[in-house]
């Protein structure tokens, strides 16, 4: 494979005891697998998530780290998370890669057959999707045991993209919400893939990650596309690198060439970038090459797990104790429907308040979109005033302005005068039907109201859809007890049968 990483890490290379680290990683993987369907419990397990915009080189970075040829079909990769489990061992050189789609059977693939791996990964993602556009409750699990990989588990989250149609708006919002929930979890390390061939202010994941990890204590920045950024010139590239490092605050950043074939070619192709980093006196913060990245994330993830395991254990034990308390009540003191409803309503209220606050940015986007569409409604003058006379008066009054009168400006002026005239001529029609009495008013209103009606209808539909998806459904999911959820599912099934 072109992007295979030829590196053998020994205990001396990493400073880790392989058997000990493997025990920790395997235990965490098992916990993820068992608790995957319960998001509240799954959030209590340490993890390392990979986030970034679509097409910033996330798949290429993972290919360099793992030696696995990941498909880079954005239409598939943006919709399903991939849990990549890498385990190092001297006796696993010929062991096949295993791929599991959700709860489906494990599929074994020859690790040297790149085409077969890509096809197996695509098939696994389609199985998880089951015809849906997006899936955030299940994932594709990839396991590779090999002497040439770091000991680590990485969860590659769907890439954020810009919706190109109204139908894609909802999918874009769901992807952002999934990433937001994962990176806000203190149990998660964050590998943030950032392209340096574009300004940081244009990268939507930048704010998501920065808001979730204020001190950047959990964030590791991976800079990609440096080879393309060289075309923008030395000064621009150095400015972007410095801004990313200053804004990120993260203690470690890495520059990785996703298309490099091996360590030497990567070092050669990024030599100029490494020189710029030295000129900025940032070589202590920014390391160049995937070799450095592999060693760092293995050590950092292992330390993170060791630090968080006691907390995870306590949280899970607390959940277990709560379950025992609830089980002891069964058959002894039945919980009344009113008590369940009261408890659920209190929980839902808390979740609704938080969800509503998070929804404000989406609400603003919808309102601004509606405002723009209303402003762009095309209206032609009705011809009920003297256009030449109006133009001459406007020209006389415009002499104090520095810029000339545009065609649109003149048109808007005529429309404003016509509105004024219609209003003045129609005062006697107040509280009386105007139909048939003022033809100009009737024509003008129909011309404007018809497109306005469509815009407002679309705004209301989009608003309620977003409100339901971003506020109501998450609050129901998080606020309802399991018994209430079962009851709702039963009612929905019964209603479906009757229909």
């Amino acid at each position: 494979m072109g992007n295979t990483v030829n590196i053998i890490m020994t205990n001396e290379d990493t400073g880790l005891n392989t058997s000990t680290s493997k025990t920790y990683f395997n235990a965490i993987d098992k916990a993820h697998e068992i608790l995957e369907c319960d998001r509240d419990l799954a959030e209590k397990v340490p993890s390392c998530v990979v986030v970034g915009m679509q097409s910033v080189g996330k798949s290429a970075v993972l290919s360099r780290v793992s030696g696995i040829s990941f498909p880079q079909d954005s239409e598939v990769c943006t919709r399903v998370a991939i849990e990549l489990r890498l385990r190092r061992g001297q006796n696993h050189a010929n062991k096949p890669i295993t791929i599991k789609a959700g709860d489906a059977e494990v599929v074994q693939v020859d690790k040297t057959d790149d085409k077969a791996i890509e096809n197996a990964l695509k098939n696994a993602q389609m199985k998880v999707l089951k015809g849906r556009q997006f899936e955030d409750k299940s994932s594709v699990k990839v396991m590779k045991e090999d002497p040439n990989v770091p000991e680590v588990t990485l969860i590659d989250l769907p890439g954020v993209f810009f919706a190109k149609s109204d139908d894609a708006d909802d999918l874009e919002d769901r992807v952002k919400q999934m990433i937001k929930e994962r990176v806000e979890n203190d149990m998660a390390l964050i590998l943030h893939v950032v392209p340096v061939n574009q300004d940081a202010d244009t990268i939507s994941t930048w704010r998501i990650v920065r808001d979730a990890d204020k001190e950047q204590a959990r964030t590791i920045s991976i800079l990609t596309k440096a080879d393309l950024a060289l075309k923008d010139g030395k000064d621009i590239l150095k400015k972007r690198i410095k801004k990313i490092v200053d804004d990120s605050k993260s203690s470690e950043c890495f520059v990785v060439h996703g298309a490099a074939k091996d360590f030497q070619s990567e070092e050669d192709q990024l030599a100029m970038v490494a020189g710029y980093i030295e000129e900025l006196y940032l070589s202590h913060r920014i390391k160049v090459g995937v070799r450095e990245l592999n060693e760092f994330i293995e050590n950092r993830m292992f330390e993170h797990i060791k630090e968080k395991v006691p907390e995870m254990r306590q949280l899970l034990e607390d959940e277990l104790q709560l379950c025992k308390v609830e089980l002891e009540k069964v058959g002894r003191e039945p919980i009344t429907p009113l008590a369940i409803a009261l408890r659920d309503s209190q929980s839902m209220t808390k979740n609704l308040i938080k969800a509503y606050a998070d929804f404000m940015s989406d609400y603003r986007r919808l309102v601004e979109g509606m405002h723009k569409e209303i402003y762009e409604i095309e209206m032609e003058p009705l011809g009920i005033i003297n256009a030449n006379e109006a133009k001459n008066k406007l020209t006389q009054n415009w002499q104090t302005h520095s810029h000339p009168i545009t065609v649109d400006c003149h048109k808007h002026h005529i429309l404003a005068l016509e509105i004024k005239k219609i209003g003045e001529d129609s005062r006697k029609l107040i509280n009386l039907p105007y139909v048939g009495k003022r033809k100009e008013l009737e024509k003008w209103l129909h011309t404007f109201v018809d497109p306005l009606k469509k815009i407002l209808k679309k705004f209301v539909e989009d608003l309620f859809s977003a409100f339901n998806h971003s506020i109501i459904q998450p609050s129901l999911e998080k606020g309802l007890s399991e018994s209430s959820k079962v009851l709702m599912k039963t009612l929905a099934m019964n209603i479906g049968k009757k229909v």
Side-chain angles (χ1 to χ4, degrees):
M1 172 187 161
N3 290 338
T4 300
V5 178
N6 296 315
I7 178 172
I8 298 180
M9 288 186 174
T10 64
N11 297 348
E12 289 76 16
D13 293 329
T14 63
L16 302 178
N17 181 302
T18 303
S19 61
T20 302
S21 64
K22 195 184 298 293
T23 300
Y24 271 91
F25 280 112
N26 289 344
I28 293 302
D29 290 346
K30 190 65 176 177
H32 275 295
E33 199 162 338
I34 294 173
L35 302 175
E36 184 176 43
C37 294
D38 190 320
R39 186 170 299 172
D40 290 337
L41 291 178
E43 289 178 352
K44 296 174 172 58
V45 182
S47 61
C48 185
V49 296
V50 185
V51 302
M53 295 285 292
Q54 190 180 87
S55 302
V56 298
K58 277 198 306 119
S59 296
V61 169
L62 291 175
S63 294
R64 294 293 317 284
V65 170
S66 65
I68 296 174
S69 180
F70 281 93
Q72 298 184 31
D73 180 355
S74 61
E75 294 303 313
V76 174
C77 296
T78 51
R79 306 185 226 160
V80 182
I82 296 179
E83 185 174 325
L84 176 61
R85 302 171 180 176
L86 302 175
R87 298 294 176 269
R88 185 171 58 256
Q90 298 302 324
N91 300 321
H92 302 313
N94 298 318
K95 195 167 183 177
I97 292 173
T98 63
I99 300 174
K100 185 179 181 183
D103 296 328
E105 293 293 322
V106 172
V107 175
Q108 294 188 345
V109 187
D110 182 355
K111 67 174 64 175
T112 64
D113 191 337
D114 292 348
K115 192 64 178 177
I117 293 172
E118 289 188 20
N119 289 335
L121 284 170
K122 287 183 179 181
N123 291 335
Q125 291 176 79
M126 299 311 293
K127 282 183 180 179
V128 171
L129 285 171
K130 295 179 181 178
R132 297 184 294 269
Q133 283 191 319
F134 178 70
E135 174 57 50
D136 59 353
K137 294 182 176 64
S138 186
S139 63
V140 173
K141 298 172 183 62
V142 181
M143 177 74 173
K144 180 178 181 179
E145 298 179 83
D146 193 269
N148 302 328
V149 296
E151 193 95 32
V152 70
T153 295
L154 306 174
I155 301 175
D156 180 29
L157 299 182
V160 175
F161 65 98
F162 292 113
K164 296 180 181 179
S165 65
D166 293 339
D167 295 338
D169 278 344
D170 181 60
L171 181 58
E172 178 188 353
D173 293 340
R174 292 177 66 188
V175 170
K176 287 182 178 179
Q177 184 61 28
M178 176 188 185
I179 292 174
K180 186 171 180 290
E181 290 177 356
R182 296 292 187 95
V183 298
E184 284 179 346
N185 181 13
D186 288 338
M187 286 289 191
L189 282 181
I190 307 167
L191 292 188
H192 187 200
V193 181
V194 182
V196 290
N197 65 329
Q198 64 185 88
D199 294 332
D201 294 334
T202 66
I203 304 170
S204 63
T205 52
W206 192 258
R207 182 174 180 178
I208 296 175
V209 171
R210 190 168 52 184
D211 289 347
D213 184 20
K214 301 288 187 185
E215 297 302 320
Q216 299 287 284
R218 297 181 289 114
T219 303
I220 302 162
S221 299
I222 302 177
L223 313 185
T224 60
K225 310 283 187 178
D227 53 316
L228 299 179
L230 288 170
K231 300 175 183 178
D232 296 329
K234 173 182 177 179
D235 293 338
I236 292 178
L237 178 55
K238 288 174 68 174
K239 182 179 179 181
R240 286 174 180 165
I241 291 174
K242 190 174 187 310
K243 178 175 175 55
I244 289 173
V245 174
D246 290 345
D247 288 359
S248 71
K249 300 180 185 177
S250 57
S251 59
E252 295 289 344
C253 297
F254 296 86
V255 181
V256 175
H257 194 317
K261 295 182 178 180
D262 50 45
F263 294 141
Q264 189 58 53
S265 64
E266 181 177 44
E267 182 179 339
D268 295 341
Q269 293 172 37
L270 294 180
M272 192 175 295
V273 177
Y276 295 164
I277 293 171
E278 289 185 4
E279 290 177 14
L280 291 168
Y281 301 102
L282 291 173
S283 54
H284 65 293
R285 296 236 355 235
I286 307 176
K287 308 300 181 184
V288 178
V290 78
R291 188 203 306 264
E292 298 274 2
L293 174 63
N294 281 0
E295 181 176 345
F296 179 81
I297 58 174
E298 176 170 348
N299 283 276
R300 183 68 180 90
M301 185 63 193
F302 184 52
E303 291 302 319
H304 177 70
I305 290 175
K306 287 197 298 181
E307 175 189 344
K308 295 295 184 180
V309 160
E311 183 181 347
M312 177 191 76
R313 180 171 181 172
Q314 185 60 54
L315 290 170
L316 293 178
E317 286 179 350
D318 291 345
E319 289 288 339
L320 181 60
Q321 186 59 38
L322 289 174
C323 291
K324 288 180 179 179
V325 171
E326 292 299 317
L327 286 172
E328 288 176 0
K329 293 179 182 179
V330 176
R332 183 164 54 85
E333 185 180 339
I335 303 176
T336 65
L338 180 60
I340 294 174
L342 180 61
R343 181 184 62 193
D344 288 357
S345 66
Q346 293 171 341
S347 177
M348 282 186 60
T349 299
K350 294 179 181 178
N351 285 288
L352 280 169
I353 292 172
K354 183 180 184 303
Y356 183 75
D358 293 339
F359 178 70
M360 284 297 97
S361 59
D362 292 332
Y363 175 69
R364 180 177 179 179
R365 177 176 59 80
L366 289 171
V367 172
E368 289 176 347
M370 176 188 66
H371 173 269
K372 184 174 182 293
E373 290 183 24
I374 292 176
Y375 183 78
E376 292 176 349
I377 292 177
E378 285 293 330
M379 292 287 295
E380 294 296 331
L382 302 177
I384 61 176
I385 67 167
N386 190 319
N388 289 329
E389 182 180 335
K391 184 176 182 180
N392 291 334
K393 287 184 178 180
L394 178 63
T395 302
Q396 292 174 4
N397 295 331
W398 201 267
Q399 293 177 356
T400 58
H401 293 269
S402 59
H403 53 280
I405 303 174
T406 64
V407 175
D408 284 341
C409 183
H410 178 245
K411 177 182 173 182
H412 292 158
H413 180 66
I414 298 296
L415 286 170
L417 292 176
E418 288 190 342
I419 293 171
K420 180 182 178 183
K421 178 174 175 54
I422 291 172
E424 292 173 347
D425 294 349
S426 304
R427 286 178 182 175
K428 62 184 179 180
L429 299 180
I430 294 175
N431 296 326
L432 293 175
Y434 65 80
V435 177
K437 296 184 179 181
R438 285 293 300 170
K439 295 294 184 182
E440 296 91 346
L441 177 60
E442 185 176 351
K443 182 178 179 182
W444 195 93
L445 286 174
H446 280 307
T447 303
F448 181 74
V449 167
D450 286 345
L452 178 64
K453 181 179 178 182
K454 293 178 181 178
I455 293 171
L456 292 178
K457 181 181 178 182
K458 180 179 179 296
F459 169 74
V460 171
E461 289 175 349
D462 291 346
L463 178 62
F464 274 89
S465 175
F467 194 86
N468 179 58
H469 173 73
S470 300
I471 299 179
I472 301 299
Q473 293 303 324
S475 299
L476 286 172
E477 181 68 26
K478 294 181 179 179
L480 289 180
S481 61
E482 290 303 318
S483 55
S484 297
K485 290 177 184 178
V486 172
L487 177 60
M488 289 187 67
K489 286 182 180 179
T490 304
L491 289 173
M493 291 175 61
N494 291 337
I495 292 172
K497 289 178 181 178
K498 290 180 181 180
V499 174

